[in-house]
Amino acid sequence: MTAFHQRVFSGVQPTGNLHLGNYLGAIRRFVDLQDSYECIYCVVDMHAITVAQDPAELTANIREVTAAFIACGIDPKKHIVFNQSQVAEHAELAWIFNCIARIGWLNRMTQFKEKAGKDRENASVGLYAYPTLMAADILVYRATHVPVGEDQKQHLELSRDIAQKFNNDYAASITRLTGSDAFFPLPEPLIQGPAPRVMSLRDGTKKMSKSDPSDYSRLTFADDADAIAQKVRKAKTDPEPLPSEAAGLSGRPEAENLVTIYAALADVPRDAVLAQFGGAQFSSFKNALVDVAVAKLGPISAEMKKLQADPAHIDAVLRDGSIRAREIARPVMESVKDIVGFIRG
Ligand code: TYM
């Protein structure tokens, strides 16, 4: 089997309300991976418009995600940070993948079902084809590792299926032109952030999400210390004190979520949190959670504000990243065209 250069790719949608789930499920892991991989981190603006966006807000949100990447510790000089729409190869490869993926595969995607809701006839074609663009994002760099939260697992599996089918459908052409038995790697999901599935603060059975109508359901990077305190104090709990062992969390989704969040923010194992707070009432645990959340998120929010005050600098980072991203994507796309049998100028 062909050996591929190890490369990390991941993306975040600029749809506002960047929250603790994005941080703990994905961005914090992006930061850690910089030490061991060549990393490409993308603000996926073309994915954002699969649902209606206000243009001025979209622009601001692209800068917000970029600022969050940098403020959390991603180094855009050593690695690549850019916005998707500046590298046209994503859309080009997505079209080819639209012709590889099967309708039956896309029909199984739970995120489309959730986002389209009951009014499926009125959802955009882009929302339906979303996963083929996501596969193109990853594979146009022939990335081998993709850090994501748990909710993206199904999309990653589809990306692997698309890569595999492309390799199979064009096996003879790939061998003739490249001498190897596979052109695309099967990208491996890394679902190992400190909290791969952060749940809503209002309902421990629903994931924390940008689109939840209640702002109290999530902690965001825009929250100041007062807002964090208010949201944590209002977070749903149950009447029992905290257990001292993990088994005691079963059937208590809100307790489990708050303990997981605390452990991830404080960077300690969950068992240590339970050993410390076992038997305590939620009121005192919530005070401690406010402290750790403010201590962790406060400096990131402050740095983001500073960066967002200089949009020209953020735009320059994205431009530079796009140029470097394109240098990788262009030859991959050229090879894809040769493999498919297109004539290139
Ligand atoms: P997006 O923008 O919804 O979310 C960005 C990242 O945050 C993770 N995440 C969570 N993790 C834990 N708990 C939660 N409650 C939570 N909510 C979100 C997501 O899993 C994701 O890792 N389709 C992707 C963006 C994308 C992409 C890609 C990712 C486009 N192309 C290529 C990887 C590779 C998305 O909508 O993420």
Side-chain angles (χ1 to χ4, degrees), residues 96-154:
I96 298 200
F97 285 172
N98 279 339
C99 303
I100 296 282
R102 305 290 92 182
I103 289 177
W105 299 1
L106 291 176
N107 283 343
R108 285 196 283 277
M109 295 295 113
T110 53
Q111 185 169 299
F112 174 74
K113 290 180 196 161
E114 277 163 24
K115 286 203 175 171
K118 289 199 183 75
D119 195 10
R120 206 180 284 188
E121 292 285 308
N122 202 29
S124 73
V125 175
L127 188 66
Y128 184 71
Y130 183 114
T132 59
L133 177 59
M134 182 159 160
D137 297 337
I138 301 164
L139 293 168
V140 83
Y141 303 99
R142 302 214 278 177
T144 50
H145 294 83
V146 186
V148 282
E150 170 98 15
D151 61 326
Q152 294 299 313
K153 192 166 176 244
Q154 195 185 33

Side-chain angles (χ1 to χ4, degrees), residues 9-15 19-27 30 44 47 84 111 115 130 133-135 137-138 146-152 155-156 195-199 207-210:
F9 180 94
S10 198
V12 174
Q13 290 198 63
T15 38
H19 56 72
L20 190 67
N22 301 129
Y23 177 56
L24 296 176
I27 302 174
F30 297 179
V44 288
H47 278 100
Q84 187 184 27
Q111 185 169 299
K115 286 203 175 171
Y130 183 114
L133 177 59
M134 182 159 160
D137 297 337
I138 301 164
V146 186
V148 282
E150 170 98 15
D151 61 326
Q152 294 299 313
H155 285 161
L156 256 294
R197 192 167 173 80
V198 177
M199 309 310 278
K207 74 167 183 182
M208 185 177 285
S209 117
K210 292 171 189 160

Side-chain angles (χ1 to χ4, degrees), residues 201 204 234-243 248-259 280-283 286:
L201 298 179
K234 280 211 167 162
K236 185 175 171 199
T237 50
D238 57 41
E240 303 296 315
L242 282 158
L249 290 172
S250 81
R252 300 178 65 186
E254 285 83 17
E256 181 169 16
N257 189 37
L258 294 183
V259 169
Q281 297 299 324
F282 273 105
S283 50
K286 281 179 168 180

